[in-house]
Amino acid sequence: MLTAAIGLVILFVLLFGGVPIAFGMIIVGTVGFAYLSGLTPAMAMVGQVAFDTVLNYEFSVLPLFILMGNFITRSRLSEELYTASYAFLGHRRGGLAMATIVACAGFSAVCGSSLATAATMSKVAMPSMRRFGYADSLAAGSIAAGGTLGILIPPSVILVLYGIMTETEIGKLFAAGFLPGLLGMVLYMVSANLVSRFRPELGPPADRTEWPERMAAMKGIWGILMLFMLVMGGIYLGVFSPTEAAGIGASGAFFFALARRTLNLRAIAEVLIETGRTSTMVFIVLIGAIMFSNFVDVTRAPNHIQTFVENLQVAPIYIILIILAIYIVLGCVLDSIAMMLLTVPIFYPLVAGLGYDLIWFGIIVVVVIEISLIT
């Protein structure tokens, strides 16, 4: 237990010293494993983990969903989503902020990345809100809050990683994340509206859009709605696996972008290169997390923590609340992927031992990571 604690402290020292999270976990995991089990087993572990991770069929869902999101981003769908949301909501108090949140939710439903959603929608929504006199605080807050929906509304890279690490069915995680994602979107919209009602100067209403213009604004997003229904509907109904759905989604996104005439050979090359870079980053972080997890397992820290918690004789819900508080604090300094990969190997055995469902815990964790990501 002491060895695991020292390893965790060293890891955070490395992170605050500027070492990337992936290499920090690789260094601590490898050195710690070598200290406890010997140098030869540690070197064998490094090679085996890297080999197994890259060649694991289940992990192929990650680059495919990333490729799907990049094609969608290239198709400039964000502008149409924002235009359609603005047409229905722009005339209300805080309407542009609410339209931004809806557009973020729609974009994240086919993108799967919070950072990509926030970065893309900021370019589209921020100029419009400033033009109509919105305060930067409300504008930036709505983009940040709406952008975090990308890790909850499926397809979600974070949910895929959680499913792989805990051996939980990814399709069930996607199904469980859909309604909380919609609820989060609605509550963020309510918050924007209430803020604008109490302080009208922060979010003045824009011009009302007539129904013919609203219907015209919807034309640009029908294709992507059909793609989302195909991918998610196929998973929910059991027609195909998440990996197959990711392949179908990537292909559909390619043809969608092609039909909108936003692709040429140079653009396709850029999308593939960006997908390769992002996928490589995710896989390196995942490899580091597995190595760090192996080190933690060798120390038997999860077993010691579980025994300690059982001896506390407190209600299990208090343990869950402590875990969630830890995520809120970590969200101030770590990104969502780093938080998930660093903590889940430690927490999920404890939660399973307390008798909680791992799908429920996964959604709760993603929701809290989403909230902490705003900071």
Side-chain angles (χ1 to χ4, degrees):
M1 184 67 182
L2 179 61
T3 305
I6 294 174
L8 195 60
V9 170
I10 293 174
L11 175 59
F12 277 102
V13 170
L14 292 175
L15 296 184
F16 284 109
V19 177
I21 178 71
F23 296 105
M25 290 190 293
I26 290 173
I27 292 171
V28 174
T30 304
V31 174
F33 198 95
Y35 173 75
L36 294 172
S37 303
L39 182 60
T40 300
M43 292 298 99
M45 184 267 293
V46 170
Q48 194 64 44
V49 167
F51 182 84
D52 291 344
T53 302
V54 174
L55 294 184
N56 192 321
Y57 172 75
E58 291 183 350
F59 291 172
S60 62
V61 69
L62 293 172
L64 288 173
F65 274 134
I66 292 170
L67 179 61
M68 174 182 170
N70 285 338
F71 275 130
I72 294 301
T73 303
R74 176 67 62 167
S75 68
R76 294 195 292 270
L77 173 72
S78 56
E79 298 173 8
E80 279 76 8
L81 280 170
Y82 184 73
T83 300
S85 302
Y86 165 79
F88 285 88
L89 297 169
H91 62 283
R92 302 181 181 278
R93 291 192 181 277
L96 292 184
M98 292 192 289
T100 299
I101 293 167
V102 172
C104 285
F107 191 78
S108 67
V110 289
C111 175
S113 169
S114 293
L115 294 179
T117 300
T120 302
M121 293 308 304
S122 64
K123 299 174 185 177
V124 177
M126 198 71 177
S128 296
M129 285 191 277
R130 280 179 168 167
R131 187 170 67 251
F132 282 95
Y134 272 62
D136 281 353
S137 57
L138 179 59
S142 61
I143 293 172
T148 60
L149 295 172
I151 63 175
L152 184 58
I153 297 178
S156 165
V157 173
I158 290 293
L159 286 177
V160 171
L161 289 173
Y162 178 86
I164 292 171
M165 296 178 68
T166 61
E167 298 182 353
T168 305
E169 190 172 336
I170 295 174
K172 291 183 178 180
L173 285 170
F174 281 178
F178 187 70
L179 287 180
L182 290 181
L183 179 61
M185 179 192 74
V186 171
L187 293 179
Y188 285 145
M189 291 172 63
V190 171
S191 299
N193 183 262
L194 290 177
V195 167
S196 300
R197 288 184 181 276
F198 285 109
R199 298 185 62 185
E201 72 278 6
L202 295 182
D207 300 328
R208 178 182 292 273
T209 304
E210 300 301 326
W211 276 102
E213 295 172 313
R214 293 180 181 181
M215 293 298 102
M218 291 291 293
K219 291 181 180 179
I221 64 174
W222 285 117
I224 205 62
L225 288 176
M226 295 298 295
L227 177 61
F228 176 76
M229 292 175 63
L230 173 64
V231 173
M232 293 297 105
I235 294 176
Y236 295 156
L237 297 176
V239 178
F240 35 72
S241 68
T243 304
E244 294 166 342
I248 293 171
S251 301
F254 168 75
F255 287 115
F256 179 78
L258 201 63
R260 294 168 66 90
R261 299 180 181 179
T262 59
L263 289 182
N264 51 37
L265 290 178
R266 180 178 179 180
I268 293 174
E270 290 175 352
V271 167
L272 294 177
I273 291 172
E274 180 60 28
T275 301
R277 287 174 177 169
T278 305
S279 300
T280 301
M281 179 272 293
V282 172
F283 272 98
I284 292 177
V285 174
L286 183 58
I287 289 170
I290 294 174
M291 292 180 184
F292 183 77
S293 176
N294 288 343
F295 157 64
V296 172
D297 288 342
V298 171
T299 66
R300 299 185 61 82
N303 294 335
H304 293 310
I305 294 174
Q306 186 169 345
T307 302
F308 174 76
V309 169
E310 290 173 352
N311 292 334
L312 287 178
Q313 296 181 347
V314 298
I317 189 62
Y318 293 115
I319 305 302
I320 297 295
L321 292 177
I322 293 173
I323 292 174
L324 300 185
I326 292 173
Y327 276 113
I328 293 292
V329 174
L330 289 178
C332 297
V333 293
L334 296 177
D335 62 50
S336 54
I337 292 179
M339 276 192 287
M340 176 68 74
L341 296 179
L342 181 63
T343 59
V344 165
I346 299 174
F347 288 151
Y348 96 85
L350 172 62
V351 172
L354 293 174
Y356 286 102
D357 182 80
L358 288 180
I359 293 178
W360 173 85
F361 178 68
I363 300 303
I364 292 293
V365 165
V366 171
V367 169
V368 177
I369 287 178
E370 168 193 307
I371 295 170
S372 66
L373 189 62
I374 297 175
T375 62

